[in-house]
Amino acid sequence: MGIAADIAIIIVAALIGGSIAQQFKQPLILGYILAGLLVSPYTGLVTITEIHDIELLAEIGVALLLFALGIEFSFSELKPVRWVAMIGTPIQLALTIGYGYIIGRILGWDLSSSIWIGALISISSTMVVLKTLVNRGLMGSLSSRVMIGMLIVQDLAIIPLMIILPLLKDLGSGLPILGLAALKAVGFLLVMVLAGTRIIPGVMKFIARSNSRELFLLATTAIALGVGYATYLVGLSFAFGAFVAGMVISESEYNHQALSDIVPLRDVFGMLFFVSVGMLIDPAYLISHLGEVLLLVSLVIIGKCFIFGILVRFFGYYNIVPIAVGLGLSQIGEFSFVLARVGLSTNSISQDLYALILSTSVITMILTPFLASLTAPIYKLRKRMFKHESVQTINIPETGMRDHVVIAGGGRVGQNIAKALHHLDVPFLLIELDSHRISDLKDIGNPVVFGDASQPIVLEAASVEHARLLLITTPAVIITQTITRLCRDLNPELSIIARCGEEEQMKTLHDLGVSEVVLPAFEAGLEITRQAFQRLGVPPMKILQFTNKLRQGVYNPERETDQDYRILSHLRRASDLLELSWILVTEESPLIGNTVKTLEIRKNMGVSIVGVVNGRDVLPNPDLNYCFAQNDLLAVMGNPQQLSSFQQLADPNEQVSPEQDQITDKQAG
């Protein structure tokens, strides 16, 4: 059956290899490489016959990988760590290439091959790093954001490396060729800008109108491979064209659908690529050159850890971050396989060098989870051996803070919360990473810890273990999850209130230990509705009933297990049914210090107090001996005139507006 039988064998082998990798909690690409090793001509097991045809299909996998990368690429992801990503990563690439060149010369390789070694080891693995971060629950931490930012720039760097490195075979004649390639690339990009703004969006819109998923998938694939083939015809990289096509589509309104449709194809053809990589690994070479492979593995891990660690520290990241980034990015990445294939196909590198790099890459990938797990122990050891840098704190008493509120995030939300707590004389502390906001908070006199709230050292500096309440203001649920896990370890009894973007995320946060979840978009919509109802003349009681009902529908399902919350919910439902009003006892109220019995409220004013919320305590149907206190929230039942009189007693400063009088008269009538 020829190639059809080969593809069937590869798919079955990939399934087996992928399953093995999954069982050992390794990235699937390692399983695919293992599958390639099993079906390679070197093993003598089930052998692929049409190797060249498989390699051609694998090239499509490379193009689709870069096409999807182009669609997913976003400068907004780089913004929080833009300096270390955009500037630091090119420096890292240059340093690592130089380091690899030295290794190559020591191992006896020529100048061109040594530079190739440097380039191949300079790229880290996005897939392996992301898998490791997810498994360790560190997505959203500062170190993870630095790593992801640098990985994005590394992935982009593969394009110029694929163009430049093959020209190293003949530097004399290569420089004019490089100049011509640069001119071609600029010209091609200009054409793609025109096509991306005029032609491609029109084609995608026309296809989308057909409402055919099949045609849309074909159109997306045709653009990816067609643009790639166009770049190949003008003498540039096929993969480069596919990447540019992805970036063009990323700016259109069809980017999400295009990515979702292309992902299955990318995964299938990407699988073929990684299997083809494994097919080129010679076990005999690995055994006979085991010492050389292990030496290169050691040099790569040590060198990259050092380069990343020093560089990240230079860009202003301290404490655990340099260690985490160095250990996390110490492997050789999957795009190094792509680059190595280019070198092999252009006769820029030898088969021996190719086999050496592949073997080294696979071993460093396998070691990544283990190396990442060493981050915390190494950091603890470093703290014991050396005086570690302290986290910058501002306006915090020398005696420290206890029973305070910690606000994670000093943006507008955090600052508004801080103002309210300051007004109530509640001790609080802000955690903020933005240096500009730090200056503003310092000038106001707010106590601040400069740092990332998703780092343990920063939370320790904020005395979270002694805090009474934590408020997480960030909208990013991944960061909220990370902060919550760390705080639960430091202070299991800590109450946590967090904001959340989506209703679907509420249960996840509650399961992690978040006490209360607030949905800003929902609350904004509710407030706009309340304001609209007021303008339309809807009675305040009806407005309260309506908004309470909406809140119950959103928040109650996740909190039914909370006894206090359940009681409060029952009171609110009773309020809707019985026309209850919620009245706050202010500091000027004559109610304070008196009991229900002594004031004879029911007899003198005609109202009934059916519930009291006092701080965290909920008291349904308080007895006659209950003594009123400041800030009590009373659930009161009565007619409008009785409620109005009692409101004046609870808050003597409350003024009844003419509009309220009018509404009261209507209700009374």
Side-chain angles (χ1 to χ4, degrees):
M1 292 181 63
I3 191 170
D6 288 343
I7 291 176
I9 292 171
I10 287 173
I11 291 175
V12 173
L15 177 61
I16 296 171
S19 300
I20 294 173
Q22 193 81 353
Q23 287 296 317
F24 287 95
K25 298 183 178 180
Q26 296 292 324
L28 290 178
I29 58 173
L30 294 179
Y32 299 154
I33 294 172
L34 174 63
L37 183 62
L38 294 175
V39 301
S40 73
Y42 300 109
T43 58
L45 300 175
V46 183
T47 304
I48 299 300
T49 57
E50 305 294 336
I51 295 178
H52 180 67
D53 291 338
I54 298 298
E55 289 177 346
L56 291 177
L57 291 174
E59 294 298 322
I60 298 177
V62 174
L64 293 178
L65 280 171
L66 290 172
F67 177 67
L69 176 66
I71 296 178
E72 294 177 299
F73 176 70
S74 173
F75 282 103
S76 61
E77 296 181 13
L78 295 177
K79 190 175 180 181
V81 291
R82 55 188 177 277
W83 298 117
V84 70
M86 301 295 291
I87 299 175
T89 306
I91 297 173
Q92 173 265 317
L93 291 171
L95 291 174
T96 311
I97 290 173
Y99 176 67
Y101 170 80
I102 295 172
I103 293 175
R105 302 299 282 180
I106 292 173
L107 294 177
W109 300 95
D110 60 31
L111 185 145
S112 177
S113 298
S114 298
I115 295 176
W116 269 94
I117 287 179
L120 291 169
I121 70 171
S122 66
I123 307 295
S124 302
S125 174
T126 303
M127 295 181 183
V128 172
V129 171
L130 290 178
K131 179 72 172 176
T132 303
L133 290 172
V134 170
N135 289 344
R136 298 186 68 226
L138 294 177
M139 288 295 291
S141 64
L142 179 59
S143 55
S144 71
R145 282 180 279 172
V146 172
M147 282 189 267
I148 292 170
M150 300 187 79
L151 285 168
I152 290 173
V153 178
Q154 281 189 356
D155 291 346
L156 296 178
I158 197 69
I159 301 299
L161 289 175
M162 290 172 65
I163 297 173
I164 296 171
L165 288 176
L167 302 177
L168 295 175
K169 291 187 297 181
D170 187 357
L171 290 175
S173 61
L175 289 176
I177 297 174
L178 179 60
L180 180 61
L183 290 174
K184 288 180 179 179
V186 172
F188 175 75
L189 288 173
L190 292 175
V191 172
M192 285 303 300
V193 169
L194 178 63
T197 55
R198 304 291 179 86
I199 302 173
I200 292 179
V203 172
M204 298 293 289
K205 186 176 182 180
F206 176 78
I207 297 296
R209 285 177 176 175
S210 68
N211 292 322
S212 172
R213 290 280 307 267
E214 186 176 350
L215 285 178
F216 191 86
L217 172 60
L218 288 174
T220 304
T221 309
I223 291 171
L225 302 182
V227 174
Y229 184 63
T231 58
Y232 172 76
L233 292 178
V234 298
L236 296 172
S237 167
F238 186 90
F240 172 68
F243 174 77
V244 174
M247 291 194 68
V248 168
I249 291 183
S250 71
E251 298 300 321
S252 73
E253 57 186 304
Y254 307 104
N255 57 344
H256 298 296
Q257 186 61 47
L259 181 61
S260 65
D261 285 349
I262 208 69
V263 161
L265 277 178
R266 179 201 66 182
D267 292 343
V268 171
F269 282 94
M271 176 272 295
L272 286 175
F273 168 74
F274 290 115
V275 170
S276 70
V277 169
M279 289 165 55
L280 296 173
I281 297 177
D282 185 358
Y285 174 88
L286 179 59
I287 295 171
S288 61
H289 294 77
L290 185 60
E292 190 176 3
V293 171
L294 294 180
L295 175 62
L296 185 58
V297 167
S298 302
L299 292 173
V300 167
I301 291 174
I302 294 171
K304 294 188 74 172
C305 281
F306 181 79
I307 290 171
F308 276 108
I310 294 297
L311 197 61
V312 169
R313 177 67 181 263
F314 178 79
F315 276 86
Y317 297 94
Y318 301 99
N319 299 301
I320 201 172
V321 178
I323 299 172
V325 174
L327 292 171
L329 299 182
S330 61
Q331 73 292 126
I332 301 176
E334 58 274 2
F335 278 114
S336 294
F337 301 150
V338 177
L339 190 59
R341 287 290 293 269
V342 172
L344 193 65
S345 63
T346 58
N347 296 318
S348 299
I349 61 176
S350 65
Q351 185 66 47
D352 282 350
L353 179 57
Y354 184 80
L356 176 63
I357 289 296
L358 287 188
S359 303
T360 304
S361 300
V362 172
I363 294 174
T364 58
M365 285 180 173
I366 294 173
L367 290 175
T368 297
F370 170 72
L371 292 172
S373 67
L374 297 177
T375 300
I378 291 176
Y379 180 64
K380 290 180 180 178
L381 178 64
R382 177 176 169 269
K383 286 199 298 181
R384 286 199 300 264
M385 295 178 63
F386 306 99
K387 186 179 186 303
H388 67 280
E389 61 273 19
S390 59
V391 177
Q392 182 183 357
T393 58
I394 301 167
N395 297 328
I396 296 178
E398 293 183 2
T399 56
M401 301 189 70
R402 302 184 71 89
D403 296 326
H404 58 293
V405 178
V406 177
I407 306 171
R412 285 176 294 180
V413 175
Q415 291 181 35
N416 288 331
I417 296 171
K419 289 178 183 177
L421 294 175
H422 178 74
H423 180 72
L424 296 173
D425 291 326
V426 176
F428 68 91
L429 180 151
L430 285 145
I431 301 176
E432 179 54 48
L433 187 59
D434 191 310
S435 58
H436 299 292
R437 290 176 181 170
I438 289 289
S439 300
D440 296 337
L441 295 170
K442 180 181 179 180
D443 294 339
I444 298 172
N446 288 330
V448 184
V449 171
F450 177 67
D452 180 11
S454 60
Q455 296 294 332
I457 187 74
V458 176
L459 294 173
E460 291 172 6
S463 299
V464 167
E465 65 272 23
H466 303 303
R468 61 190 292 192
L469 179 64
L470 170 67
L471 308 178
I472 306 175
T473 65
T474 176
V477 69
I478 294 178
I479 298 176
T480 299
Q481 290 173 321
T482 303
I483 296 173
T484 302
R485 289 192 187 97
L486 294 171
C487 288
R488 281 283 166 252
D489 292 336
L490 293 170
N491 187 351
E493 303 300 321
L494 181 67
S495 296
I496 303 175
I497 302 175
R499 67 185 286 187
C500 179
E502 304 292 338
E503 274 185 58
E504 294 78 11
Q505 300 165 344
M506 292 177 63
K507 187 177 187 309
T508 302
L509 294 180
H510 282 307
D511 292 343
L512 282 175
V514 176
S515 311
E516 300 285 348
V517 177
V518 179
L519 298 168
F522 171 76
E523 294 294 338
L526 209 60
E527 179 59 21
I528 292 174
T529 302
R530 190 186 70 80
Q531 296 280 356
F533 281 5
Q534 280 187 330
R535 296 290 180 180
L536 294 171
V538 179
M541 189 62 65
K542 296 293 183 185
I543 298 174
L544 182 64
Q545 291 173 0
F546 181 76
T547 54
N548 283 346
K549 187 175 181 179
L550 288 180
R551 280 199 175 93
Q552 291 165 17
V554 173
Y555 293 115
N556 281 18
E558 303 298 335
R559 302 306 316 278
E560 288 299 324
T561 58
D562 189 320
Q563 185 176 359
D564 288 346
Y565 193 88
R566 194 165 61 246
I567 294 173
L568 186 58
S569 297
H570 291 329
L571 285 175
R572 285 172 174 168
R573 284 193 286 270
S575 168
D576 293 338
L577 294 173
L578 300 174
E579 298 276 333
L580 297 185
S581 290
W582 292 89
I583 295 175
L584 181 67
V585 179
T586 64
E587 60 181 351
E588 295 87 2
S589 174
L591 292 175
I592 298 175
N594 293 298
T595 65
V596 177
K597 182 178 181 179
T598 55
L599 294 175
E600 297 184 327
I601 292 175
R602 174 64 179 166
K603 178 181 178 182
N604 295 329
M605 307 194 72
V607 299
S608 298
I609 301 174
V610 297
V612 179
V613 179
N614 186 346
R616 289 185 56 85
D617 297 325
V618 180
L619 306 174
N621 193 26
D623 59 36
L624 296 176
N625 294 319
Y626 177 78
C627 186
F628 295 104
Q630 183 179 340
N631 294 327
D632 277 357
L633 188 61
L634 310 178
V636 184
M637 185 171 64
N639 63 40
Q641 290 88 350
Q642 293 167 342
L643 293 173
S644 179
S645 299
F646 188 76
Q647 174 72 58
Q648 291 291 317
L649 184 64
D651 184 5
N653 295 325
E654 177 73 15
Q655 299 294 322
V656 180
S657 66
E659 292 81 1
Q660 290 175 316
D661 284 337
Q662 188 178 1
I663 293 173
T664 300
D665 293 340
K666 288 180 180 179
Q667 291 175 327

